[in-house]
Amino acid sequence: MLGRSERESGAHARLAAQIAKWHGADGWPAGTGADDLLDLGSTSTTLATVASIDDLAAVVHIGHPAQPSHDLERALLAAAPSLVITSAVAVPAQWVWAGRPGQSTGSVVVDEAGMRDCRHVLRTLGANPRLVPSRTALDERIALAGPSGTLVVERSEIPAGWEEIPGSARLSEGAPIWYGLVEARRPAPEFAGEAQVWFAFGPRDDHRGSLQQTLSVIAESGIDMQHLRSHRSSAGPHIFFSSFSCPDASVLTGLIAELSSRDVAHRVLAVLPGREFVPGPDALAPQWAPEHAGS
């Protein structure tokens, strides 16, 4: 069985499942269609359900393999230790901006997933978004839009008699949307060759230099870290979320053994087989402070 959270775009999650054929090693079982994605509720409920039911997995939005969604990182670490993201796929954006012919002047009704993926473009287009839950039915969205309002929906959800309006094409011109498959796998899945790994860790003692000591272990293992983010922990020491390309499974095994010997709490959150995940995460053009005052 395959599911998704209630906040996710059903059309995008189904397309991710179709592209990756996420339903066991042999693909989709007989009699199962791409529309058969179970609505598993909130993110936390989705993860708890996947952890408690055998042979159930879920399609989740991951941000990017090399730069994970922080909301998902936190949710995974707060969920059952058996859960891990096991693969990733890039999906072309299916969002469109639609309205009634000649009457598209009102507010833009958009759901949570659409706002996440399209907010920057909508801002540049001068749109006035009206946010609704992703589970809101299409008829309800049309009623909220009123006679002159518009909708941001997946292409397959354009209402009868509506059409794309100027600027709609820009919603699908950007980078694809990355989805992953979350499963209950303990221990973490084996992998051959390179893989992108999401790894959370927490030094035993929160003291000056404790992070440096742990990072030195990671560096000595030959791992080039691509992502590092800290978060407070209710247990005391800070939590650190990382993402890195791991050359092979033995390197990860060695890292885990060394951290265990040092009593550093840790957990593998994702193992995504592959060497490159193109396109990469968003890049910044930094404006650094001058090296010397007055230069």
Side-chain angles (χ1 to χ4, degrees):
M1 297 183 292
L2 201 59
R4 62 174 177 85
S5 79
E6 64 184 2
R7 298 181 61 183
E8 192 47 67
S9 160
H12 285 91
R14 287 192 293 271
L15 182 56
Q18 288 175 325
I19 292 172
K21 292 183 172 57
W22 278 332
H23 206 296
D26 299 323
W28 295 87
T32 301
D35 292 333
D36 296 329
L37 287 185
L38 305 174
D39 183 338
L40 301 179
S42 67
T43 299
S44 59
T45 301
T46 295
L47 296 178
T49 303
V50 170
S52 62
I53 298 179
D54 291 341
D55 299 321
L56 174 64
V59 182
V60 293
H61 175 263
I62 65 171
H64 188 277
Q67 192 172 334
S69 159
H70 192 33
D71 287 343
L72 181 57
E73 286 180 317
R74 291 186 297 175
L76 282 169
L77 190 59
S82 61
L83 294 175
V84 64
I85 310 291
T86 57
S87 59
V89 64
V91 174
Q94 302 296 301
W95 299 111
V96 295
W97 191 6
R100 296 179 177 88
Q103 299 180 11
S104 304
T105 59
S107 62
V108 184
V109 177
V110 56
D111 65 20
E112 298 157 296
M115 181 66 80
R116 178 197 67 207
D117 298 337
C118 303
R119 64 186 184 278
H120 298 306
V121 176
L122 290 174
R123 187 179 299 118
T124 62
L125 293 173
N128 179 28
R130 179 172 182 178
L131 184 64
V132 297
S134 294
R135 62 179 178 274
T136 305
L138 185 59
D139 288 347
E140 294 180 63
R141 302 185 193 204
I142 293 172
L144 288 170
S148 62
T150 59
L151 303 175
V152 169
V153 291
E154 302 89 338
R155 187 174 301 280
S156 60
E157 298 297 317
I158 298 177
W162 290 49
E163 62 183 21
E164 290 190 58
I165 63 176
S168 174
R170 293 185 57 187
L171 299 185
S172 58
E173 287 176 348
I177 306 167
W178 287 88
Y179 287 89
L181 186 71
V182 62
E183 302 179 86
R185 299 277 292 271
R186 192 170 180 89
E190 294 291 333
F191 60 97
E194 293 188 43
Q196 191 75 25
V197 175
W198 298 2
F199 195 74
F201 59 92
R204 178 182 57 186
D205 300 315
D206 219 359
H207 60 81
R208 186 182 299 274
S210 58
L211 174 60
Q212 182 179 2
Q213 293 172 1
T214 304
L215 291 180
S216 68
V217 174
I218 296 174
E220 289 168 4
S221 69
I223 288 172
D224 182 16
M225 190 174 295
Q226 297 161 293
H227 162 80
L228 180 64
R229 178 160 35 204
S230 68
H231 199 278
R232 291 180 60 195
S233 168
S234 60
H238 277 76
I239 299 163
F240 296 93
F241 294 97
S242 66
S243 175
F244 49 81
S245 180
C246 191
D248 59 62
S250 65
V251 173
L252 181 59
T253 300
L255 173 62
I256 290 173
E258 183 62 25
L259 293 178
S260 297
S261 70
R262 294 169 179 255
D263 201 20
V264 175
H266 57 272
R267 181 171 157 193
V268 175
L269 302 179
V271 175
L272 311 175
R275 180 176 183 178
E276 294 184 358
F277 297 89
V278 178
D282 291 341
L284 295 175
Q287 298 286 337
W288 298 115
E291 271 191 80
H292 306 285
S295 62

